[in-house]
Amino acid sequence: SILIFYSGPVVLSQVRLQTKAEISDFKSTSDYKDVMTFIDQLKKTSKLIRVETIAQSAEGRSIPLLIIGKPLPKSPVQIANDSRIVVYIQANIHAGEVEGKEACLMFARDLVSEKDPELLKNVILLICPNFNPDGNEKISPRSRPYQNGPVNGVGVRHNGQFLDLNRDGMKAESPEVRGVITRIFNTWDPAVFMDCH
């Protein structure tokens, strides 16, 4: 066996950032810490991305919002006379449906990795990859056992209050839904909303 040690600097842009799903050959899904670490590393690679918080979940976890644009708007007020449309993508409202969470992270990475992203000429993109972080932290192989993967399991449908966030749009009893109403719909007024169950 030969061990090689390298103590020089590693340039992050030369190392392809990967999600937990990619690293595990899609056998595992990202937990809350994985998502937040990925977002933090992604933010360091591009000036096209800013991260804000939609709300604190019922169990106190920050719900991240990635704002991606070229140029990157400093606030929603700044886009009043902007010709670009705002698109909001949300994933993991049911934490057993994990594909959207992983896809959103990969999409954000691929988009900001492009030299001159064509999409960003006409769009300001808002992405919430983990709308239900409390449900996501309940990852277990016993959750949705009839589902074919991931092998380490998935999260649960409900949030920390045992509410189905997809059924809370009218009552807005959860901090997650109240946050998306106030911080996304009433603030950014997206022209397009895509929910990746």
Side-chain angles (χ1 to χ4, degrees), residues 7 17 24 30 39 41 47 52 54 59-60 72 83 105 114 125 132 140 152 162 166-167 171 180 196:
S7 62
L17 183 58
S24 69
S30 302
I39 291 170
Q41 291 174 345
K47 294 179 181 178
E52 294 184 357
I54 293 175
E59 294 178 358
L72 183 61
S83 63
L105 294 172
E114 292 179 27
L125 190 61
N132 183 5
S140 167
N152 75 321
F162 292 93
N166 194 47
R167 307 288 188 269
K171 290 183 179 181
V180 84
C196 306

Side-chain angles (χ1 to χ4, degrees), residues 18-82:
Q18 292 189 313
T19 66
K20 184 170 187 176
E22 292 171 303
I23 292 167
S24 69
D25 196 28
F26 298 91
K27 293 183 176 123
S28 295
T29 189
S30 302
D31 64 16
Y32 179 75
K33 183 179 176 185
D34 296 325
V35 170
M36 299 306 284
T37 299
F38 185 95
I39 291 170
D40 187 53
Q41 291 174 345
L42 183 62
K43 188 172 58 170
K44 293 175 184 175
T45 69
S46 177
K47 294 179 181 178
L48 303 179
I49 187 169
R50 184 174 72 252
V51 180
E52 294 184 357
T53 300
I54 293 175
Q56 297 295 314
S57 72
E59 294 178 358
R61 294 178 179 91
S62 295
I63 301 170
L65 175 68
L66 286 66
I67 302 165
I68 303 173
K70 185 178 182 183
L72 183 61
K74 290 186 169 87
S75 76
V77 175
Q78 188 182 21
I79 64 168
N81 297 314
D82 199 312

Side-chain angles (χ1 to χ4, degrees), residues 54 65 88 90 126 128 179-190:
I54 293 175
L65 175 68
Y88 173 55
Q90 173 180 287
L126 309 177
C128 176
V180 84
I181 290 169
T182 58
R183 302 273 301 150
I184 304 297
F185 295 119
N186 292 347
T187 304
W188 287 93
D189 190 25

